[in-house]
Amino acid sequence: MTAHNALYIDGEWRPAQGRETIDVVNPADETVIAAVPAGSAADVDAAVRAARAAFPAWAATPPARRAELLGALRDQLRSRTGEIAATVTAELGSPLTVSERVHAGVPVAVAGSYAELAATHAFEEKLGNSTVLLEPVGVVGAITPWNYPLHQVVAKVAPALAAGCTVVLKPAEDTPLVAQLFAECTAAAGLPAGVFNLVTGLGPVAGQALAEHPDVDLVSFTGSTAVGSRIGAIAGAAVKRVALELGGKSANVILPGADLAKAVNVGVANVFANSGQTCSAWTRMLVHADVYEEAVELATRAAAKYVPGDPTAEGTRLGPVVNAVQRDRVNGYIERGVQEGARPVAGGPGAPEGLEKGYYVRPTVFADVTPGMTIAQEEIFGPVLSILRYADQDEAVEIANGTVYGLAGAVWAANDESAVAFARRLHTGQVDINGGRFNPLAPFGGYKRSGVGRELGPHGLAEYLQTKSLQF
Ligand code: NAP
Ligand code: MG
């Protein structure tokens, strides 16, 4: 893999001020494929200065022009689909087809949606004798994780740019190469120097320096709840805007009368996609006692279709997890599930047969999971599904709402009306009704400890705007 031994600051690739680098490892075979600079606080400062200097002119650029440039960025991303997919597969380990369709494809849709929103959004509104101006917040510090490494970058950078903000990005240390490709795309799209800046580096060093920087007006973070709560505290103390997209333990509620086979198959696919490394994954399946054993059997059969293997090989549906720490963490949770009395009906702890090299785990389904178990409460971030039993709808609501999280979820019922009635009772930011399709405009974000703020579509754009009212 080609990598820049440089940071992208003020429209150019610049060497970092220190010499430290981060090795990028292919999780499928544990080989080092590249190294990138580990940026320091001084590098972050240089990037924030560049973003600050670029802000006035970018904020004053007519939204229609910002829209054109976002359109050019979308076209750049689209034209480099193959390269982006290969890069994400190499540094994250997702199957190549998933990398093409999801990791490369979704960012094109999201960048396109913001090209359109920049052109059409009302950046001014009338309210009685007031005119309300919606103005960009300023310099944005974006900190992103590795699980959807390009999507999470575009879901922050595109709305920030559409709003008229400038950005400094600190991507995850595991997946910096696709972030470098993104920086190349911003340059090729013709974005003015300093509007987008990239500092690769370690979370506690570069990430922390970015969150703490006094000239960053808004911090947008996606990642773990543990780090997110610290970032929220830093931002709160400095009275700066903050958006947090954190963990989840979402419920897939299958109500009596639903198409059980469809609900279970889609549910298993949802959890195993991206090796279970999806914050919005429906990791708890809730099934009525009357059809519980049937659902367990269907899930066991569905899981058998996910054989872990080389993500570049044709037909592979499940790659490794991102790194050794994640592999050990996931295995720890699987062991814990067994200890606490859940019944593994697929998978289990340890490496899959024949895959001793690479960070592979066995796709695992647990039956007889009760709401108090660790595997029913904590985010595992691996291909592990817990199936819980409920007796009636009130109990299903109680179980579904019974974690600290509230990011996503699904409800399946005999018809949309009864599914919607149930969905209204859920404390969560998104619910898919009877297998509803992904919508890149739908607000995405959490209730409770799943986060603060929303991403995507017009709600995502609003995060990067502040209001000024003029009275007449
Ligand atoms: P993480 O530590 O929260 O990482 C997210 C981002 O924050 C990365 O860019 C990380 O940099 C950075 N970071 C880490 N410590 C920081 C600090 N003190 N100040 C500022 N930035 C900091 O998450 P992780 O370690 O990669 O994954 C751990 C767990 O988090 C997972 O098992 C999963 O449960 C959860 N997670 C959730 C999501 C989600 O989308 N909700 C995404 C990823 C992970 P580095 O890359 O250098 O650590
Ligand atoms: Mg980390």
Side-chain angles (χ1 to χ4, degrees), residues 74 77-78 101-102 104-116 151 154 158 438-441 456:
R74 171 206 53 212
L77 292 170
R78 184 186 281 140
R101 190 168 38 80
V102 180
V106 173
V108 171
V110 172
S113 75
Y114 282 111
E116 201 168 317
H151 168 65
V154 173
F438 173 71
N439 175 3
L441 293 176
L456 304 181

Side-chain angles (χ1 to χ4, degrees), residues 95-183:
L96 205 45
T97 48
V98 176
S99 295
E100 276 164 12
R101 190 168 38 80
V102 180
H103 294 294
V106 173
V108 171
V110 172
S113 75
Y114 282 111
E116 201 168 317
L117 276 164
T120 55
H121 195 72
F123 290 96
E124 216 179 288
E125 55 189 46
K126 294 266 187 246
L127 210 58
N129 63 312
S130 300
T131 295
V132 181
L133 308 180
L134 281 71
E135 300 185 331
V137 172
V139 173
V140 171
I143 301 173
T144 53
W146 41 263
N147 56 324
Y148 289 86
L150 182 60
H151 168 65
Q152 284 146 335
V153 165
V154 173
K156 297 186 189 312
V157 176
L161 300 187
C165 294
T166 56
V167 180
V168 177
L169 168 68
K170 202 304 278 180
E173 67 189 86
D174 293 288
T175 54
L177 300 180
V178 74
Q180 291 191 339
L181 274 184
F182 177 77

Side-chain angles (χ1 to χ4, degrees), residues 191-202:
L191 284 171
V195 165
F196 171 79
N197 307 275
L198 171 68
V199 179
T200 50
L202 300 177

Side-chain angles (χ1 to χ4, degrees), residues 249-255 282 284 286 393-403 405-412 418-433 446-448 454:
K249 191 74 190 176
S250 296
N252 179 17
V253 184
I254 307 174
L255 295 175
W282 310 333
R284 297 178 299 145
L286 275 57
Q393 291 210 11
D394 286 345
E395 193 190 8
V397 171
E398 199 182 305
I399 295 171
N401 290 338
T403 76
Y405 295 115
L407 189 53
V411 181
W412 305 79
S418 24
V420 169
F422 189 92
R424 286 184 188 278
R425 301 174 70 188
L426 295 178
H427 304 157
T428 192
Q430 269 201 357
V431 185
D432 289 0
I433 302 295
Y447 280 34
K448 300 192 282 183
R454 292 294 179 268

